[in-house]
Amino acid sequence: MKFFDSQRKRPKDNRGLMGSLVFFVIGIIGMTLSCISVFNENKEVHCYTQNGNTEERTEIFIEAEIQKNENGELKLWQEESQYWGAVYEFYVYNDTLHNFYDYTLELTVPEGCYIDGDPWNGKFEQEGTTIKITPLADFMTDHILPDDKVKFGFVFYTPPEVTPETFLEENITYEISGRYSRKPFDSPLVIFFIVWTICGILACMAFSFSYRSIAFEGKKAEEKIDKYIKLCANFIDVRDEYTKRHSSHVAEYSRLIAQKLGFSEQEQKNIYYVGMLHDVGKVMISREILCKPSALTKSEWNEMKKHTTYGAEVLQDFNDISNIRAGVLYHHERYDGKGYMFGLSGEDIPLVARIICVADSYDAMATDRAYRAHLPDEVIISELEKNSGTQFDPKIAEIAIELIKDGAFNIS
């Protein structure tokens, strides 16, 4: 498990290194421009039009109904003037992944219709057959959260020939306009240039060590790659405030386990670097999923699981660290075959991945997360014992328990 090939010939010039630096700079420029593009998109006004209640759904859509009383009866009546009165409720839905704000709801209604009194959760202006409703400036209605809704309501009168039931289905047109609040990591283009930049960093690593292998082989070369990998690991960890330094923790725990298994010093360094990059695929996962404080939905969990394959794809051409793709791709496999993404079991799972699995699980339990505080050592030891032979390789779980009891895992 050599870290790099010491017999590699020194290149005649540094064109490969310069090319990889250009690749890296292009990634930085592309990432910057795509972030600017996202901010500019946030300034754009989006408009959606809808005729009455309909089953067709756009990104922003409206459902309206007549309010019911405690007996389930519609709150409607007919005045002496034969005008129909009713209490209407309008729900504005945001079926996107972004906040929707600075919005207005415009209703086009038949001649003679009018609102009586102030609506709740909003204010209105009426000019002829056009009614414009704007939300109140409070945190409940001034923006609509992703996959959420807000409600407006008012007492509304329609002419005798326009009954409340037909009014909602046939006699009203909605137009809602507003702006989205997108985050840079929501943009596929930003993610693309992030991966591009990481590939540029990895290419710089490869060409840098190829070019300098004779002059800087040994300690200086390893210090250089250590900085690059820590840079990548920091880039990964900074996306989730609850898992900062997670990569370096997993790397150190993996190295300590490898040391107990009798790995050489070079092999221990190798698995340390694998641990640093084991979650590199999470750069492809949206921040909303990574930082979500509540339980993930089924589709969100399926997307989260893909970080192992995403990571292997990012590293597919990076061969300077032996077994790095195996550690990244298989570190969520279980010893009993019930893990992901391939259902490998026992020693069919590469040893490096079995080590990373235990180290990763320990750090997850030993640190504060969005959904819970860290667990005490005795609880973690109990979990490792309980899942030895099912989730974890029994031998590696036993070594981890010894290291916890000896205080070796207390690296904070």
Side-chain angles (χ1 to χ4, degrees):
M1 294 175 65
K2 289 186 177 180
F3 184 74
F4 61 88
D5 186 358
S6 60
Q7 303 302 316
R8 186 183 301 163
K9 292 183 178 180
R10 183 172 180 168
K12 294 180 180 180
D13 55 42
N14 62 350
R15 284 177 296 180
L17 177 59
M18 293 302 297
S20 61
L21 285 172
V22 170
F23 193 87
F24 170 75
V25 171
I26 290 173
I28 294 295
I29 294 173
M31 189 163 52
T32 302
L33 292 177
S34 54
C35 285
I36 292 173
S37 175
V38 170
F39 294 133
N40 288 334
E41 286 178 10
N42 287 344
K43 298 177 181 178
E44 295 179 6
V45 175
H46 297 262
C47 186
Y48 302 90
T49 303
Q50 177 182 324
N51 293 318
N53 284 337
T54 176
E55 293 183 0
E56 296 182 5
R57 296 291 183 254
T58 56
E59 292 178 327
I60 305 294
F61 63 93
I62 297 162
E63 288 184 353
E65 63 184 17
I66 300 172
Q67 194 179 84
K68 296 179 180 179
N69 60 26
E70 296 177 353
N71 299 323
E73 299 171 339
L74 297 178
K75 287 186 178 180
L76 56 88
W77 59 91
Q78 194 166 25
E79 299 284 336
E80 291 182 3
S81 62
Q82 301 304 306
Y83 264 64
W84 289 98
V87 180
Y88 294 87
E89 292 181 336
F90 292 83
Y91 296 89
V92 184
Y93 289 83
N94 178 5
D95 195 22
T96 73
L97 298 175
H98 320 291
N99 287 341
F100 191 66
Y101 67 106
D102 285 353
Y103 63 93
T104 58
L105 173 61
E106 191 170 289
L107 311 180
T108 302
V109 299
E111 189 75 36
C113 296
Y114 64 93
I115 293 177
D116 183 22
D118 293 327
W120 48 93
N121 293 339
K123 53 186 178 180
F124 81 99
E125 298 176 5
Q126 181 167 359
E127 185 174 340
T129 60
T130 301
I131 300 173
K132 182 179 290 186
I133 300 174
T134 54
L136 296 176
D138 62 39
F139 71 97
M140 294 296 292
T141 59
D142 63 354
H143 66 279
I144 313 175
L145 297 174
D147 197 25
D148 203 355
K149 63 185 177 185
V150 296
K151 181 175 73 171
F152 298 99
F154 44 78
V155 176
F156 198 76
Y157 285 93
T158 59
E161 67 274 12
V162 181
T163 64
E165 293 90 342
T166 59
F167 171 68
L168 290 179
E169 300 297 331
E170 304 171 3
N171 299 108
I172 186 170
T173 299
Y174 308 108
E175 184 177 286
I176 184 165
S177 57
R179 296 187 294 160
Y180 289 111
S181 177
R182 292 181 172 89
K183 298 180 177 64
F185 285 114
D186 293 336
S187 168
L189 196 59
V190 174
I191 297 299
F192 171 79
F193 279 112
I194 288 174
V195 175
W196 178 297
T197 303
I198 289 176
C199 289
I201 292 173
L202 296 176
C204 287
M205 291 163 50
F207 282 112
S208 175
F209 283 106
S210 176
Y211 181 71
R212 301 172 183 272
S213 59
I214 295 176
F216 297 99
E217 185 175 356
K219 183 177 180 180
K220 287 186 178 294
E222 291 182 6
E223 288 176 352
K224 193 75 173 179
I225 202 167
D226 182 73
K227 291 179 181 178
Y228 277 123
I229 289 180
K230 285 179 178 177
L231 173 64
C232 290
N234 289 338
F235 193 83
I236 298 163
D237 291 346
V238 76
R239 295 195 64 209
D240 185 359
E241 61 179 309
Y242 292 99
T243 58
K244 287 178 180 177
R245 298 189 60 80
H246 171 69
S247 298
S248 59
H249 289 171
V250 172
E252 181 61 18
Y253 300 143
S254 300
R255 187 195 67 77
L256 291 169
I257 292 171
Q259 185 181 58
K260 278 283 189 179
L261 285 169
F263 282 27
S264 69
E265 183 176 345
Q266 188 60 61
E267 290 168 338
Q268 292 175 42
K269 290 179 180 178
N270 189 80
I271 200 167
Y272 177 88
Y273 293 125
V274 176
M276 289 290 283
L277 294 178
H278 77 284
D279 273 342
V280 67
K282 286 186 177 179
V283 299
M284 302 291 287
I285 306 298
S286 75
R287 206 157 186 261
E288 283 73 15
I289 294 177
L290 287 177
C291 302
K292 187 175 181 180
S294 57
L296 298 180
T297 63
K298 184 177 180 180
S299 62
E300 288 171 340
W301 175 237
N302 288 335
E303 177 65 15
M304 175 68 86
K305 290 193 291 187
K306 291 179 184 177
H307 79 273
T308 56
T309 52
Y310 289 153
E313 291 171 8
V314 169
L315 299 171
Q316 63 181 344
D317 296 322
F318 181 63
N319 302 312
D320 290 80
I321 301 175
S322 178
N323 294 319
I324 187 167
R325 290 189 72 247
V328 170
L329 186 58
Y330 302 119
H331 72 276
H332 280 295
E333 301 290 345
R334 289 170 53 106
Y335 201 74
D336 59 7
K338 297 180 180 179
Y340 62 87
M341 299 287 289
F342 303 97
L344 302 183
S345 63
E347 296 190 2
D348 287 339
I349 305 170
L351 179 58
V352 63
R354 282 179 273 153
I355 294 173
I356 297 292
C357 174
V358 173
D360 187 26
S361 298
Y362 172 79
D363 191 61
M365 291 186 282
T367 54
D368 294 332
R369 292 299 173 97
Y371 50 88
R372 59 140 177 84
H374 69 277
L375 303 178
D377 283 349
E378 55 268 27
V379 175
I380 298 175
I381 290 172
S382 175
E383 288 295 313
L384 290 172
E385 291 173 342
K386 183 171 66 175
N387 292 284
S388 177
T390 54
Q391 181 177 357
F392 308 122
D393 181 319
K395 183 176 182 181
I396 297 173
E398 182 182 353
I399 290 173
I401 291 170
E402 291 177 6
L403 290 167
I404 296 170
K405 291 180 177 178
D406 292 343
F409 271 8
N410 185 14
I411 63 173
S412 60

